[in-house]
């Protein structure tokens, strides 16, 4: 029995690291754990990049199927002035994941959909972030 959330994460990362429009902007900089300096905890990753944010599993009540909806956040980050670059990266993520049908090895994807984004400046005053939300329905094995 494989964890549905982990299978989904692996599929998303693989897709994003191989999406030409996104890799043209960020290379292969898609992170689950963003590189940081252990002494200062400051980000050492090259900008722009994409990181996986929090996710939540919401079990769906069904008599004969174990199903859940997963709500997950994917973040785009930039240090270019203003919001143009982070919005371009976010759009490339959205385009890469648009109407995608993931084949999960141990579970069955029912749907995967974009749920919106927020774009804002981080408290450091230098970093722009686009927080995108996606929803996935999965029938668990």
């Amino acid at each position: 029995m494989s964890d549905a959330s982990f299978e989904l994460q692996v599929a998303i990362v693989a897709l994003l690291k191989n999406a030409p429009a996104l890799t043209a902007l960020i290379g292969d900089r898609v992170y689950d754990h963003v590189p940081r300096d252990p002494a200062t905890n400051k980000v050492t990753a090259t900008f722009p990049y994409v990181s996986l944010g929090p996710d939540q599993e919401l079990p769906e009540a069904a008599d004969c199927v174990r199903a859940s909806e997963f709500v997950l956040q994917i973040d785009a980050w930039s240090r270019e002035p203003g919001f143009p670059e982070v919005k371009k990266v976010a759009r490339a993520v959205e385009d890469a994941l648009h109407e995608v049908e993931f084949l999960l090895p141990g579970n069955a994807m029912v749907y995967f959909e974009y749920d919106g984004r927020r774009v804002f400046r981080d408290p450091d005053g230098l970093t722009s972030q686009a927080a995108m939300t996606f929803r996935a329905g999965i029938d668990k094995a």
Side-chain angles (χ1 to χ4, degrees), residues 25-31 33-36 42-51 76-80 85 89 127:
L25 297 169
I26 68 167
D28 68 347
R29 295 186 303 273
V30 178
Y31 302 111
H33 179 76
V34 177
R36 293 180 177 273
K42 292 193 179 202
V43 171
T44 58
T46 301
F47 288 82
Y49 65 87
V50 168
S51 66
W77 303 86
S78 172
R79 286 242 169 108
E80 286 295 311
E85 183 177 61
V89 173
T127 309

Side-chain angles (χ1 to χ4, degrees), residues 5-107:
S5 176
F6 178 69
E7 286 185 1
L8 182 59
Q9 175 180 332
V10 169
I12 289 169
V13 169
L15 186 140
L16 293 178
K17 284 189 172 188
N18 290 289
L22 181 60
T23 59
L25 297 169
I26 68 167
D28 68 347
R29 295 186 303 273
V30 178
Y31 302 111
D32 177 17
H33 179 76
V34 177
R36 293 180 177 273
D37 180 309
T40 64
N41 201 34
K42 292 193 179 202
V43 171
T44 58
T46 301
F47 288 82
Y49 65 87
V50 168
S51 66
L52 302 179
D55 66 47
Q56 179 180 11
E57 178 179 3
L58 304 168
E60 294 181 350
D63 290 333
C64 58
V65 177
R66 286 185 61 210
S68 288
E69 180 177 62
F70 293 85
V71 180
L72 55 130
Q73 180 175 312
I74 299 174
D75 299 301
W77 303 86
S78 172
R79 286 242 169 108
E80 286 295 311
F83 292 124
E85 183 177 61
V86 79
K87 288 182 178 182
K88 287 178 189 173
V89 173
R91 178 59 190 263
V93 169
E94 294 163 22
D95 289 349
L97 295 172
H98 181 70
E99 295 185 357
V100 68
E101 293 183 23
F102 291 115
L103 296 175
L104 305 178
N107 296 280

